[in-house]
């Protein structure tokens, strides 16, 4: 078989076959007198295996490990790592979708998208024109934007929730504003 024939048989491009040769993944076959590569059924089986392994998500380096005789890793080990990586990505995507759903449920804030925990805290906080309160709000927005909205950030926002409900906080901010210019 010639390169176009083996590529069509296996379902890859001739360019992919050449690339596999170039990186040493697929050994170069013998050449005919006219200089064309002469592929065998064994080459087609190896190429089909490479295609299957890449289709399930293995990198070419991982495919090389699987195909190596003694020095490579076992296929089960590589597939286990791939499965764990896909599971991690799936969890991360699920978490991002939950946050997105919460953002879509609440009206957009003028400060930009906020984590659901911070949005809840700021909804409960009294509206204040205090510079000290504005500075605290900016610090919370920075924490949220820096990734503190999940995990420890959510715990912090939950701990601050009683302060948001306390009417004495407004008086405290007024006092802090009075003291702002004090020596």
């Amino acid at each position: 078989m010639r390169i176009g024939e083996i590529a069509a048989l296996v379902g890859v491009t001739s360019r992919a076959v050449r690339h596999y040769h170039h990186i040493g993944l697929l050994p170069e076959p013998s050449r005919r007198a006219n200089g064309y590569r002469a592929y065998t059924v064994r080459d087609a089986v190896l190429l089909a295996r490479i295609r299957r392994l890449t289709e399930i998500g293995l990198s070419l380096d991982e495919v090389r490990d699987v195909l190596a005789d003694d020095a490579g890793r076992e296929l089960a080990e590589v597939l286990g790592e791939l499965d764990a990586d896909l599971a991690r990505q799936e969890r991360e995507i699920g978490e991002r979708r939950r946050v997105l759903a919460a953002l879509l449920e609440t009206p957009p804030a003028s400060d930009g998208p906020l984590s659901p925990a911070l949005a809840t805290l700021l909804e409960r906080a009294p509206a204040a024109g205090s510079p000290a309160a504005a500075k605290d709000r900016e610090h919370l927005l920075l924490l949220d934007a820096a990734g503190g909205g999940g995990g420890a950030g959510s715990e912090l926002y939950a701990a601050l929730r009683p302060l948001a409900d306390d009417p004495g906080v407004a008086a405290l901010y007024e006092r802090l504003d009075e003291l702002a210019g004090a020596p």
Side-chain angles (χ1 to χ4, degrees):
M1 285 182 278
R2 291 177 36 186
I3 194 166
E5 295 167 331
I6 193 172
L9 177 69
V10 175
V12 297
T13 64
S14 297
R15 185 176 181 180
V17 176
R18 286 187 195 94
H19 180 68
Y20 297 155
H21 287 313
H22 179 73
I23 64 172
L25 194 57
L26 183 65
E28 282 278 348
S30 60
R31 294 195 178 251
R32 296 182 181 159
N34 61 4
Y36 291 143
R37 294 178 179 104
Y39 292 95
T40 64
V41 172
R42 175 168 285 189
D43 295 321
V45 169
L46 180 57
L47 184 58
R49 188 166 185 215
I50 292 169
R51 190 199 83 213
R52 276 195 312 270
L53 291 171
T54 57
E55 282 177 348
I56 61 172
L58 296 182
S59 70
L60 293 179
D61 286 335
E62 291 168 326
V63 170
R64 184 185 328 277
D65 285 345
V66 170
L67 296 178
D69 289 336
D70 296 326
R73 298 183 297 164
E74 292 292 322
L75 177 59
E77 178 186 351
V78 173
L79 293 178
E81 290 174 5
L82 176 63
D83 184 55
D85 186 51
L86 291 173
R88 178 192 54 79
Q89 290 178 37
E90 189 174 45
R91 283 190 305 275
E92 290 174 358
I93 289 171
E95 178 58 29
R96 290 171 59 195
R97 292 197 67 214
R98 281 188 288 283
V99 168
L100 182 59
L103 291 173
L104 290 171
E105 288 178 8
T106 59
S110 62
D111 300 319
L114 306 175
S115 69
L118 180 58
T120 301
L121 176 66
L122 294 179
E123 283 174 8
R124 296 174 73 164
S130 161
K135 185 170 286 267
D136 281 350
R137 181 183 180 95
E138 288 175 359
H139 288 142
L140 289 171
L141 293 171
L142 178 60
L143 174 69
D144 200 58
S154 294
E155 292 172 13
L156 172 66
Y157 303 149
L160 292 174
R161 211 169 291 135
L163 290 175
D165 295 333
D166 186 347
V169 171
L172 175 63
Y173 277 130
E174 286 176 20
R175 181 69 178 133
L176 287 172
D177 291 338
E178 290 171 8
L179 293 173

